[in-house]
Amino acid sequence: MKLKPAIWQFGLLALLIFLGHNWLPPFGAFTRPDLQDALHAPGFAAYTLALLWVFRGARARHTLVVVLAVTTAIVGEAAQIGSPRDASMLDFARDLLGIAAALSIDAYWRWRRSRAVGRRFAGAALAVVLTAATLSHLSWLAYLETAVRQNAPALTDFGSLWTRGILHTIGDEGLEFDRRTAGNGLMTVRLTGSRYSGIRLTPLRDWRGYEQLEVSLAADASGPLSVVLRIIDENHDYRFDDRFNQTLSVDNSTVSLIVDLSDVVDAPRNRKLDAGHITDVAIFALQPREGDKLIIGNLRLR
């Protein structure tokens, strides 16, 4: 039986996203977290289409499929609560977008079987929308990758658009950035009372040729903050001893932290961390009090 053209197209677009992030320039140097984020919508679209096919003869088919798909999305995000990656309402929204896209494709094909008038126009419109949505996301990632490379050895510029694009939160979604300080090379993070609270970023991937990482830290809090600097490469297996972790106490005075990259490379217990494929840098406080603030200076290699 022939696969429907719209499903072929959606599958092709999902494949382009996957290939683009892993092998094709300029996306080949981008990071796994961004690949995971980008694949939420097409992944859940494919999952929903598969459910629609599996339950094609069932009563109340669409209700059953929507309940299963949305429940999967909720469970997937809930399972990350309390972990360093943490749950994300934006990821959940991407999941819902994928589910909606699959239901739209299915509705179009049911409508096409019942009506012939205007079906070519409707099919073309659907194709344009899906293509534009995918290409706009890929264009945004291309811009981020180019900006990250051009601004090296600076890993961040808190006053810039590109840094906002690679910056993510750790902890509750209520975490806020005070961007009034960004022009001074600082980011003030209003911490929440969760177990982990701070920022992570998907930085310049290739740190080979550099010797140190530099960042300044300070706190605006009722007491010292226990702050962790975490660095992960693409081979990380999510065990604590398979990455670089450094914990320090930060109070109201500014601490200039300089990390030798040789220590980063030697940090995993059973291997060498790959300095050519860094995927994630995180700075977060451990169990801060609600309302505490962490002040982070721009990160820079040297």
Side-chain angles (χ1 to χ4, degrees):
M1 185 174 104
K2 277 188 170 183
L3 287 176
K4 297 170 181 177
I7 298 177
W8 265 106
Q9 184 191 54
F10 199 92
L12 178 61
L13 293 177
L15 180 63
L16 285 175
I17 291 177
F18 181 79
L19 291 177
H21 280 79
N22 283 275
W23 295 296
L24 301 179
F27 307 103
F30 224 73
T31 60
R32 282 186 177 179
D34 289 87
L35 169 62
Q36 294 166 359
D37 292 343
L39 289 179
H40 270 269
F44 265 82
Y47 173 57
T48 305
L49 288 171
L51 289 176
L52 287 166
W53 182 82
V54 169
F55 296 105
R56 61 190 180 278
R59 296 179 63 182
R61 167 177 172 249
H62 289 86
T63 300
L64 177 61
V65 167
V66 169
V67 169
L68 287 174
V70 172
T71 300
T72 302
I74 292 173
V75 171
E77 291 305 313
Q80 300 178 66
I81 293 175
S83 70
R85 178 175 172 84
D86 219 335
S88 167
M89 286 302 297
L90 183 57
D91 285 348
F92 180 62
R94 292 187 181 106
D95 298 341
L96 295 182
L97 177 64
I99 294 169
L103 294 173
S104 299
I105 291 172
D106 180 71
Y108 163 69
W109 282 105
R110 286 188 291 112
W111 173 81
R112 181 181 177 184
R113 286 194 296 268
S114 63
R115 295 185 60 182
V117 180
R119 67 188 183 189
R120 291 183 180 177
F121 172 77
L126 179 64
V128 168
V129 170
L130 291 176
T131 303
T134 302
L135 291 179
S136 64
H137 187 69
L138 291 175
S139 298
W140 170 244
L141 292 179
Y143 160 73
L144 291 180
E145 178 66 19
T146 302
V148 164
R149 289 176 177 272
Q150 288 179 343
N151 284 275
L155 297 183
T156 59
D157 176 3
F158 289 130
S160 69
L161 177 64
W162 66 269
T163 296
R164 298 180 192 180
I166 66 172
L167 202 60
H168 315 279
T169 64
I170 296 176
D172 297 338
E173 292 300 318
L175 184 146
E176 300 178 10
F177 301 138
D178 184 352
R179 302 198 185 280
R180 291 173 298 177
T181 60
N184 300 323
L186 301 172
M187 177 64 74
T188 300
V189 185
R190 297 188 185 94
L191 303 173
T192 63
S194 59
R195 183 180 178 186
Y196 309 102
S197 187
I199 65 169
R200 67 178 181 88
L201 57 101
T202 49
L204 177 73
R205 206 168 153 86
D206 190 353
W207 291 14
R208 291 171 299 183
Y210 299 101
E211 296 180 354
Q212 294 176 321
L213 169 66
E214 182 179 16
V215 60
S216 62
L217 301 169
D220 182 0
S222 55
L225 294 176
S226 181
V227 177
V228 177
L229 170 65
R230 185 191 69 196
I231 302 174
I232 292 173
D233 69 351
E234 70 174 10
N235 298 314
H236 178 49
D237 64 6
Y238 292 93
R239 289 184 298 110
F240 179 83
D241 60 2
D242 194 58
R243 59 181 180 245
F244 175 83
N245 301 280
Q246 182 168 338
T247 304
L248 64 156
S249 180
V250 177
D251 55 23
N252 293 343
S253 59
T254 300
V255 175
S256 183
L257 177 61
I258 298 176
V259 177
D260 289 332
L261 296 189
S262 59
D263 294 336
V264 173
V265 170
D266 292 334
R269 175 177 293 181
N270 298 319
R271 65 181 183 91
K272 296 289 187 181
L273 190 142
D274 187 354
H277 296 86
I278 302 297
T279 58
D280 187 279
V281 175
I283 299 174
F284 55 92
L286 298 174
Q287 298 181 322
R289 290 168 289 276
E290 186 79 30
D292 285 350
K293 296 179 181 179
L294 178 61
I295 303 168
I296 305 171
N298 279 320
L299 288 80
R300 187 177 184 87
L301 296 171
R302 64 182 193 180

